[in-house]
Every structure is written in C-alpha cells, then in structure tokens.
Amino acid sequence: MQFLEADLFEWRPRRRYDTVFFAFWLSHVPPTRLPDFWNTVAAALAPGGKVIFIDDGPAAAAYEEVLTNQPTPAALRRLDDGSRYRIVKVFHDAQTLTDDLTALGWSVRIRSLAGNFIGIAEPPNSVGEEAATAAAS
C-alpha cells in the first residue's frame, strides 16, 4: 500500500482504477472547483470504471455551525482540543447533485440514505479518455 500526500486540485493520477471511492469528501469541494474535481476523478478511472461516494445530505446542516454570507459555502468546525477551523462545507441535495453531474456528462444514480446520500457514477467516455490521456503525459 502506498500513501501519497498531494493537493487534490493539482494532482494527476499515475494509473487508472476500476473503482474510485470517497466518503464525506465531496462536501468539502468548493462549488466552483466541482467540474475540475470530477475531471480528475474521471482521469483516475479505467474504461468502464465507476465512482462510489457517500456524503452528508442537507439535514446535516442542523449539526454544523453554518457560516452565512460567505463567498463559498462554509461551516465553523470545532475539534475536541478546542481549536476552531472555517471549512468548506456544501450540503448537497441528491437531486441537485444528480442534475449537476448529469450536466457534466456523467451517468449518475444518487439516493438519500439516513440523512446522507450515496452515489454511483460513470464518467462520460470522452472526458474520461481525454483526462486519462492528459494524466499520462
């Protein structure tokens, strides 16, 4: 197993995978960076590959200290040691996220589950192939 520390918005995969999985990560991607994020995910997928993801739904906002009037959706997160951090926090609605990914050409199924959502997505073939070609160069 190999661990890699990298800026996800700059990183390009060196190989392709049948499955990419992430949990409670998508809600921390700024909305303006969502298309580039999904292009990076597409570049990491082998032909026919799928993405599986889980994250907080809108109901989770009740358990966060949501910051209003911010240029990017945000919340104030307090850790057990008392430290506080302003974090990007987007409470995606399953239907809106489905619409957004479909607009980017992804085939996606998202369903709500216990206040969260779980999704399975496949990239558009041309985006995945172009992204993989770019990543290989």
Side-chain angles (χ1 to χ4, degrees), residues 2-22 25 29 33-46 51 106 130-137:
Q2 177 186 11
F3 292 94
L4 173 69
E5 181 178 337
D7 178 343
L8 186 63
F9 299 109
E10 300 294 327
W11 175 79
R12 296 295 172 248
R14 292 185 181 205
R15 60 178 281 212
R16 299 170 81 188
Y17 302 89
D18 294 328
T19 304
V20 170
F21 171 80
F22 45 92
W25 168 255
V29 176
R33 300 191 86 171
L34 210 52
D36 289 338
F37 170 77
W38 284 102
N39 284 337
T40 299
V41 172
L45 287 170
V51 179
W106 285 75
E130 289 171 11
T133 301
S137 24

Side-chain angles (χ1 to χ4, degrees), residues 35 94 100:
D100 290 347

Side-chain angles (χ1 to χ4, degrees), residues 58-75:
Y63 303 100
E64 294 277 1
E65 189 173 335
V66 177
L67 301 174
T68 58
N69 300 321
Q70 301 290 308
T72 299

